[in-house]
Amino acid sequence: MARIPAAERRAELVAAAVRVIAADGVDGATTRRIAQEANAPLATLHYCFATKEVLFAAVFEHVAGQYREVLTRNDVHGDVAITARALLRGVMEWYLANPDFGAAIVELISWGQRQEGQQAEMVYNEASATLRAILEAAATAAGQPLDPGTIDALTYIVSTLSDGFALNWLVFTDPTAAERQIDLILGVLDTWMAAHLGDAPAPAAPAPKAASPEEAMRSLVSWVSVE
């Protein structure tokens, strides 16, 4: 049997860890379970990662790298409004196409907040820095003088809207509703940009299909338990 290079084996184990965390949560992601998912001997996992914490640190790094890649891939090099809209749509469509990543991110952020080292905060800060840099570059290239506070606010809004979409999608997993919600969320961003980006025109959002009252209420209260 051909020997698998260590770097390739590490990548397989990290990808397996993402799938296991998404399915079973952090508590269920034992090293034995991850090794089984990667079709690798348990001893190989412990050879590649000295501890479970080291493995999870690699998973954090992998997830952050995927997020950076999504942002970079959706940088359309347009003006600020066009770029922000493309970034938000790109991230939401990525969550829609990769539910394992979305579920794993939620689990890891929750777990990271309980650990030392502020891993969850570092992932968020890194993602925000990447997003902000793209928006700032778009403003500069388009000759749109935006103050740092406006760029910071836009970065926060894009991040928060995409996070809210991800949670709703993970709860309901309804692709038809999620597609409508993407247009709705982009409309929210367009409205904010039209009011705060000066002369930068916000692209008009396609009119979303009308949702039933039950669907609308379910979307609005996705994490509220009604007595």
Side-chain angles (χ1 to χ4, degrees), residues 17 20 39 53 60 63 97 108 142 146 161 164 173 184 193 195 203 206:
V20 173
N39 195 27
E53 288 70 27
F60 262 107
V63 168
L108 285 166
L146 297 179
L161 289 175
T173 62
L184 178 63
M193 291 192 298

Side-chain angles (χ1 to χ4, degrees), residues 45-114:
L45 185 150
H46 289 301
Y47 172 78
C48 293
F49 301 98
T51 66
K52 186 176 179 179
E53 288 70 27
V54 173
L55 170 58
F56 276 23
V59 173
F60 262 107
E61 184 178 346
H62 175 62
V63 168
Q66 289 291 306
Y67 193 85
R68 286 195 306 272
E69 183 181 322
V70 171
L71 292 175
T72 302
R73 187 167 64 243
N74 286 281
D75 179 3
V76 295
H77 304 292
D79 65 21
V80 177
I82 291 172
T83 300
R85 204 172 196 275
L87 292 172
L88 178 56
R89 176 181 285 279
V91 172
M92 290 192 293
E93 289 180 346
W94 177 65
Y95 279 129
L96 193 58
N98 299 278
D100 280 356
F101 266 101
I105 287 171
V106 171
E107 289 283 345
L108 285 166
I109 292 296
S110 178
W111 174 82
Q113 283 295 91
R114 301 191 297 272

Side-chain angles (χ1 to χ4, degrees), residues 141-161:
Q144 294 175 265
L146 297 179
D147 63 87
T150 300
I151 292 290
D152 287 341
L154 183 55
T155 299
Y156 176 78
I157 287 167
V158 171
S159 177
T160 301
L161 289 175

